[in-house]
Amino acid sequence: MQHLTHLPPAIFLMGPTASGKSRVALDIAAHFPVEIISVDSAQVYRYMNIGTAKPDQATLFRTPHHLINLLDPNEQYSAAQFRNDALNVMEEITQRNKIPLLVGGTMLYFRALQQGLSALPPADQDLRRMLEDTAEQLGWPAMHQKLEALDQETAARIKPTDSQRIQRALEVCYLTQQPMSTLLKTPRQAEFPYRAINIALIPNERSQLHQRIAARFESMLNCGLIDEVQSIRQQFPTLNIESPSMRCVGYRQTCLYLDDKINATELHDMGIAATRQLAKRQLTWLRHMKTDAVREFDCLADDLTAQVQCSLQKTMF
């Protein structure tokens, strides 16, 4: 195995939603020989542009991004697929004598890429349909009780109404005859052939990040988020609120509004609250990473991009 210093570099730009990752990434791309790879479980979907804060066409023309617009909203994408796709793109970028710049807020994807994934079985569509049919008869709280009998540790982490995670945990139990919690503890065996330069954009003042989040969601509503979701649902009529794409923050709340389950004020308030919860989870992930391996920058600093560029200049050249 190559010594770490002999491995090609890869920049990982991480942070909570609304921390300014995209702006910093574009500035890095203007000054360094990098190519941007999106690390975002929502931007992989076509047509989902406003609610994912996807770069506009002019930006994509100037600075192409890899791993966005990969599939339709009625399809599914996993961390394992992301890892495989990202490694392939990173190799291509490195062969072009460029540096991969991975940018986003899907922390599970960052971890899967650098550390690998536990040996969980792939989805079994027949089994999933069977579980869905059973849940339709009994309800997901009853399915949660079934999971509790098979894997108490996993059941304790999942809400009785979280159909997607209950279904996956039961699927793993039935396919492997082992609790998912046991399999998740299996050591990961995955080589990562890059020297990771981990950068985290962390707000020194959480309240200011919350203000940014509110302003951003309001801007999404003003830019046509409701029309975007309505158009997607018309184009893909099998979508529902539990579809992976529609579970994304902002889209789930808009679906509730379009189904007349909440009003416009509730959509506004629930969308902001859900985005704040997402940011909180992202910051928790970052706190649990090894602090000596991550360079933190205050995302609220006026000279943020200059600080990041200076750090990269010292690291890579």
Side-chain angles (χ1 to χ4, degrees), residues 303-314:
D303 60 343
L304 172 61
T305 54
Q307 289 184 39
V308 173
Q309 282 190 42
C310 182
S311 177
L312 289 175
Q313 187 73 38
K314 292 177 181 177

PDB file of all heavy atoms in Angstrom, residues 303-314:
ATOM      1  N   ASP A 303     -14.104  36.567   5.335  1.00  0.00           N
ATOM      2  CA  ASP A 303     -13.004  36.148   4.460  1.00  0.00           C
ATOM      3  C   ASP A 303     -12.903  34.634   4.376  1.00  0.00           C
ATOM      4  O   ASP A 303     -11.817  34.072   4.247  1.00  0.00           O
ATOM      5  CB  ASP A 303     -11.678  36.731   4.953  1.00  0.00           C
ATOM      6  CG  ASP A 303     -11.328  36.274   6.367  1.00  0.00           C
ATOM      7  OD1 ASP A 303     -12.230  35.775   7.082  1.00  0.00           O
ATOM      8  OD2 ASP A 303     -10.148  36.391   6.752  1.00  0.00           O
ATOM      9  N   LEU A 304     -14.050  33.941   4.439  1.00  0.00           N
ATOM     10  CA  LEU A 304     -14.056  32.467   4.461  1.00  0.00           C
ATOM     11  C   LEU A 304     -13.313  31.876   3.275  1.00  0.00           C
ATOM     12  O   LEU A 304     -12.427  31.030   3.447  1.00  0.00           O
ATOM     13  CB  LEU A 304     -15.506  31.969   4.476  1.00  0.00           C
ATOM     14  CG  LEU A 304     -15.694  30.454   4.304  1.00  0.00           C
ATOM     15  CD1 LEU A 304     -15.022  29.689   5.440  1.00  0.00           C
ATOM     16  CD2 LEU A 304     -17.184  30.117   4.219  1.00  0.00           C
ATOM     17  N   THR A 305     -13.649  32.300   2.063  1.00  0.00           N
ATOM     18  CA  THR A 305     -13.016  31.690   0.894  1.00  0.00           C
ATOM     19  C   THR A 305     -11.509  31.944   0.882  1.00  0.00           C
ATOM     20  O   THR A 305     -10.737  31.068   0.487  1.00  0.00           O
ATOM     21  CB  THR A 305     -13.649  32.226  -0.400  1.00  0.00           C
ATOM     22  OG1 THR A 305     -13.606  33.657  -0.399  1.00  0.00           O
ATOM     23  CG2 THR A 305     -15.087  31.766  -0.531  1.00  0.00           C
ATOM     24  N   ALA A 306     -11.088  33.108   1.329  1.00  0.00           N
ATOM     25  CA  ALA A 306      -9.653  33.415   1.376  1.00  0.00           C
ATOM     26  C   ALA A 306      -8.947  32.495   2.370  1.00  0.00           C
ATOM     27  O   ALA A 306      -7.838  32.005   2.101  1.00  0.00           O
ATOM     28  CB  ALA A 306      -9.442  34.876   1.754  1.00  0.00           C
ATOM     29  N   GLN A 307      -9.578  32.259   3.522  1.00  0.00           N
ATOM     30  CA  GLN A 307      -8.999  31.359   4.518  1.00  0.00           C
ATOM     31  C   GLN A 307      -8.835  29.945   3.963  1.00  0.00           C
ATOM     32  O   GLN A 307      -7.788  29.303   4.126  1.00  0.00           O
ATOM     33  CB  GLN A 307      -9.875  31.314   5.769  1.00  0.00           C
ATOM     34  CG  GLN A 307      -9.866  32.567   6.623  1.00  0.00           C
ATOM     35  CD  GLN A 307     -10.689  32.367   7.886  1.00  0.00           C
ATOM     36  OE1 GLN A 307     -10.658  31.307   8.493  1.00  0.00           O
ATOM     37  NE2 GLN A 307     -11.432  33.399   8.272  1.00  0.00           N
ATOM     38  N   VAL A 308      -9.880  29.456   3.303  1.00  0.00           N
ATOM     39  CA  VAL A 308      -9.844  28.091   2.764  1.00  0.00           C
ATOM     40  C   VAL A 308      -8.790  27.987   1.669  1.00  0.00           C
ATOM     41  O   VAL A 308      -8.003  27.037   1.627  1.00  0.00           O
ATOM     42  CB  VAL A 308     -11.234  27.680   2.238  1.00  0.00           C
ATOM     43  CG1 VAL A 308     -11.157  26.326   1.527  1.00  0.00           C
ATOM     44  CG2 VAL A 308     -12.251  27.610   3.373  1.00  0.00           C
ATOM     45  N   GLN A 309      -8.752  28.968   0.792  1.00  0.00           N
ATOM     46  CA  GLN A 309      -7.761  28.947  -0.290  1.00  0.00           C
ATOM     47  C   GLN A 309      -6.334  28.970   0.251  1.00  0.00           C
ATOM     48  O   GLN A 309      -5.460  28.243  -0.239  1.00  0.00           O
ATOM     49  CB  GLN A 309      -7.971  30.149  -1.214  1.00  0.00           C
ATOM     50  CG  GLN A 309      -9.119  29.989  -2.172  1.00  0.00           C
ATOM     51  CD  GLN A 309      -9.135  31.090  -3.215  1.00  0.00           C
ATOM     52  OE1 GLN A 309      -8.085  31.466  -3.750  1.00  0.00           O
ATOM     53  NE2 GLN A 309     -10.304  31.605  -3.497  1.00  0.00           N
ATOM     54  N   CYS A 310      -6.102  29.783   1.253  1.00  0.00           N
ATOM     55  CA  CYS A 310      -4.765  29.862   1.856  1.00  0.00           C
ATOM     56  C   CYS A 310      -4.365  28.516   2.441  1.00  0.00           C
ATOM     57  O   CYS A 310      -3.230  28.056   2.273  1.00  0.00           O
ATOM     58  CB  CYS A 310      -4.745  30.947   2.932  1.00  0.00           C
ATOM     59  SG  CYS A 310      -3.137  31.178   3.715  1.00  0.00           S
ATOM     60  N   SER A 311      -5.301  27.851   3.118  1.00  0.00           N
ATOM     61  CA  SER A 311      -5.022  26.556   3.700  1.00  0.00           C
ATOM     62  C   SER A 311      -4.704  25.527   2.630  1.00  0.00           C
ATOM     63  O   SER A 311      -3.753  24.738   2.758  1.00  0.00           O
ATOM     64  CB  SER A 311      -6.222  26.095   4.535  1.00  0.00           C
ATOM     65  OG  SER A 311      -6.003  24.807   5.065  1.00  0.00           O
ATOM     66  N   LEU A 312      -5.469  25.539   1.548  1.00  0.00           N
ATOM     67  CA  LEU A 312      -5.223  24.594   0.441  1.00  0.00           C
ATOM     68  C   LEU A 312      -3.892  24.866  -0.223  1.00  0.00           C
ATOM     69  O   LEU A 312      -3.173  23.930  -0.604  1.00  0.00           O
ATOM     70  CB  LEU A 312      -6.359  24.681  -0.580  1.00  0.00           C
ATOM     71  CG  LEU A 312      -7.719  24.115  -0.143  1.00  0.00           C
ATOM     72  CD1 LEU A 312      -8.769  24.391  -1.202  1.00  0.00           C
ATOM     73  CD2 LEU A 312      -7.615  22.625   0.123  1.00  0.00           C
ATOM     74  N   GLN A 313      -3.546  26.115  -0.393  1.00  0.00           N
ATOM     75  CA  GLN A 313      -2.276  26.484  -1.026  1.00  0.00           C
ATOM     76  C   GLN A 313      -1.101  25.910  -0.235  1.00  0.00           C
ATOM     77  O   GLN A 313      -0.151  25.368  -0.820  1.00  0.00           O
ATOM     78  CB  GLN A 313      -2.161  28.016  -1.111  1.00  0.00           C
ATOM     79  CG  GLN A 313      -0.970  28.503  -1.904  1.00  0.00           C
ATOM     80  CD  GLN A 313      -1.154  28.299  -3.401  1.00  0.00           C
ATOM     81  OE1 GLN A 313      -2.251  28.464  -3.911  1.00  0.00           O
ATOM     82  NE2 GLN A 313      -0.071  27.955  -4.091  1.00  0.00           N
ATOM     83  N   LYS A 314      -1.175  26.002   1.078  1.00  0.00           N
ATOM     84  CA  LYS A 314      -0.105  25.486   1.926  1.00  0.00           C
ATOM     85  C   LYS A 314      -0.062  23.963   1.932  1.00  0.00           C
ATOM     86  O   LYS A 314       1.000  23.357   2.063  1.00  0.00           O
ATOM     87  CB  LYS A 314      -0.297  25.984   3.360  1.00  0.00           C
ATOM     88  CG  LYS A 314      -0.097  27.476   3.523  1.00  0.00           C
ATOM     89  CD  LYS A 314      -0.383  27.910   4.957  1.00  0.00           C
ATOM     90  CE  LYS A 314      -0.202  29.410   5.124  1.00  0.00           C
ATOM     91  NZ  LYS A 314      -0.564  29.846   6.516  1.00  0.00           N
TER      92      LYS A 314
END
